[in-house]
Amino acid sequence: MLIAVCAGYLLVLMDYSVVNVSLHTIQQRFGAAADGLQWTVNAYEILFGALLLPAGFLADRCGHRRVLIGGLVLFGLASAGMVTSDRIGEVIAWRVLMGVGGSAIPVTTLAVLQSVPSLAGALRPVSLWAAMPGASFALGPIFGGACAGSWGWWAPFLVNLPLALVCALVVGRYAADSPRIRAAKLDWPGVLLVISSVGMLLLAVSRSGAVSWLDLSVAGPVCISAGLAVCLVKVELKHKTPVLDLRLFRDRLFAAGTACVALAFFSLAGAIFLVPAYLQVIRGQAVFEASLSIVGLACGSAPGSLLAGRVQRRFGPRIAGMTAMVTLAAGLGGFAAMGSATSLPSTWLWFVLAGAGFGMTGAVSTPLTMSSVPLTRVGTATGTATLTRTVSSALSVALLGTVCSFDDRASIAALREFRTALWITAGTAAAGAFVAASYFPRKGSPWLLSGSCSPSSSPSWPHGSGAASPPR
């Protein structure tokens, strides 16, 4: 059950990057223009990000197990449908359906894990689940390159079908139905505002790499997204069961854990975007050779996630969270100190160190975040946290891309910009260490994952009176 849930989660995360290695082949196969290739990537990212919150809200109403199975089946069938495409428009349409199905998986997998009695309340399963984003950063391009190089551009998507269906069968066989909010009124205004606001923001971010932020195609969607976000906040504050539950952020544990994960994603996403370009432009490596260096990230992420549980039990969440963010900052600082003649083993070392810090951050922050959430709202809470880190990753790539752009200029100027951008990521990770030091509980503090995310728990908030009035 644990393998199936983590594998399904890993599949949808890898599809962020698995298509990138096949873009050139897709262009030759369909004669696609640049905007067609761009939408091949953006269609999945925008739908995936925009539907996270609605998918989590739907899971809380209809059952996490049902929504997870439906998401896996739709994701697998849409992936296989890519093989039947005859035009680039059909490829984009299938990618849209993949994004719709994929959005249901991150927001339900953690709740489904907690429905298994032998896994409920345990830190190790959550640590493994939290390690999947770090692993996907490294495995996505390698998996896509290996499949596409051996068979064709369509191979990575065809492989998704049997894997997704097997995961769905295992979940259907072993997962239990979780408590649902049966009497909740569907928050249609909130759903539409979330989809519109997040979709506009991600659309603007996807365009920012090609044109200036002041261009109408970027500035327009940003302004529209901001206006819709203001309306969303006003609507959600009045709704009894909102799709975006802003009350969650009034709880110190949820807010601090979500902030640390978002800062970690912002830091690492920028590094993964810039370091391979550094290796190609400054060091003269081939594309595939440069992408292999990211394997060090997975080599550090998984052990870091498992180590986090021991550190947390020995020293408490506060020390574990600080250690995680400082380790991540140290790895990113190592990248910032690299020069034009830095040895390649050093690059691997910094990726391993950054991966270990990233894995530890997720493994410590995720249980802390969900410890204050009743099981009936895990879908909404997970969707909120996942959306936060998705947006932070997208903004990192867009903003740091304006700081450092590798082009045909002198390598000295490019290296200077690269170092500036990486010092920004290291500083962001250091800010996460400050958040952990200030707001994470010390050892012995009364917080328990099993106290709020187990099927038998009541919808109460730690350190407070009840779910209707969470503590500030």
Side-chain angles (χ1 to χ4, degrees):
M1 179 66 189
L2 178 60
I3 293 173
V5 166
C6 289
Y9 186 32
L10 182 62
L11 273 181
V12 299
L13 293 176
M14 286 199 304
D15 260 72
Y16 264 99
S17 57
V18 76
V19 72
N20 293 339
V21 297
S22 302
L23 287 179
H24 181 64
T25 308
I26 292 175
Q27 184 179 32
Q28 293 179 325
R29 167 67 176 81
F30 300 103
D35 58 344
L37 296 178
Q38 185 181 44
W39 278 107
T40 300
V41 177
N42 294 341
Y44 180 80
E45 295 182 355
I46 292 174
L47 267 296
F48 181 90
L51 294 177
L52 282 171
L53 275 175
F57 186 79
L58 179 65
D60 289 338
R61 285 173 53 88
C62 302
H64 304 108
R65 174 174 167 269
R66 292 183 181 180
V67 174
L68 175 56
I69 293 174
L72 285 168
V73 171
L74 178 58
F75 178 82
L77 293 177
S79 298
M82 295 275 285
V83 183
T84 66
S85 301
D86 293 323
R87 296 183 298 273
I88 190 64
E90 296 179 10
V91 172
I92 296 172
W94 288 118
R95 290 285 287 174
V96 167
L97 289 179
M98 289 175 64
V100 174
S103 65
I105 297 172
V107 299
T108 53
T109 44
L110 187 58
V112 167
L113 278 181
Q114 295 301 316
S115 71
V116 181
S118 60
L119 300 178
L123 287 176
R124 182 167 295 180
V126 179
S127 298
L128 290 173
W129 180 88
M132 294 303 104
S136 70
F137 281 133
L139 297 180
I142 296 173
F143 172 75
C147 292
S150 300
W151 297 293
W153 69 269
W154 44 266
F157 305 103
L158 189 60
V159 172
N160 284 345
L161 177 61
L163 293 177
L165 293 182
V166 168
C167 292
L169 289 173
V170 173
V171 170
R173 172 65 178 83
Y174 293 105
D177 287 325
S178 54
R180 288 178 267 173
I181 308 177
R182 300 181 182 276
K185 183 179 179 181
L186 185 58
D187 181 18
W188 278 113
V191 169
L192 296 177
L193 285 171
V194 164
I195 294 175
S196 303
S197 179
V198 176
M200 282 292 177
L201 177 60
L202 295 179
L203 175 62
V205 169
S206 67
R207 289 283 299 157
S208 64
V211 298
S212 168
W213 281 87
L214 298 178
D215 189 274
L216 185 60
S217 62
V218 176
V222 168
C223 294
I224 295 174
S225 175
L228 292 173
V230 172
C231 296
L232 174 65
V233 171
K234 292 182 178 180
V235 169
E236 298 303 84
L237 288 174
K238 298 178 181 179
H239 205 281
K240 292 183 178 180
T241 54
V243 65
L244 175 61
D245 195 347
L246 298 174
R247 298 178 305 165
L248 293 170
F249 290 98
R250 297 173 61 190
D251 184 83
R252 187 188 71 173
L253 302 182
F254 184 88
T258 302
C260 273
V261 172
L263 291 172
F265 268 82
F266 183 94
S267 302
L268 195 61
I272 292 174
F273 173 67
L274 293 174
V275 172
Y278 154 85
L279 294 174
Q280 295 173 58
V281 176
I282 306 299
R283 301 301 303 271
Q285 292 187 7
V287 176
F288 185 69
E289 184 182 2
S291 65
L292 282 178
S293 64
I294 308 180
V295 175
L297 188 68
C299 295
S301 178
S305 298
L306 297 177
L307 179 63
R310 295 186 178 183
V311 177
Q312 186 167 285
R313 285 190 293 270
R314 177 70 177 84
F315 300 103
R318 177 170 296 183
I319 298 298
M322 291 171 57
T323 303
M325 297 303 293
V326 168
T327 303
L328 176 58
L332 298 173
F335 285 129
M338 290 194 304
S340 57
T342 303
S343 62
L344 293 181
S346 296
T347 305
W348 278 74
L349 173 63
W350 301 133
F351 263 124
V352 171
L353 192 61
F358 183 79
M360 288 184 66
T361 300
V364 174
S365 299
T366 301
L368 187 69
T369 300
M370 304 311 295
S371 66
S372 57
V373 180
L375 189 59
T376 54
R377 300 293 286 165
V378 167
T380 300
T382 308
T384 302
T386 306
L387 176 62
T388 302
R389 68 193 192 203
T390 299
V391 172
S392 66
S393 298
L395 290 176
S396 173
V397 173
L399 296 176
L400 294 179
T402 63
V403 175
C404 175
S405 57
F406 290 98
D407 49 26
D408 295 331
R409 295 171 300 121
S411 59
I412 296 178
L415 182 60
R416 187 183 302 113
E417 292 179 354
F418 169 76
R419 287 175 170 173
T420 300
L422 266 295
W423 280 124
I424 291 174
T425 64
T428 304
F434 175 78
V435 171
S438 302
Y439 299 104
F440 278 25
R442 296 185 178 91
K443 183 181 180 181
S445 296
W447 71 279
L448 288 172
L449 177 65
S450 58
S452 56
C453 291
S454 63
S456 60
S457 63
S458 60
S460 60
W461 297 71
H463 319 301
S465 58
S469 181
R472 292 186 181 276

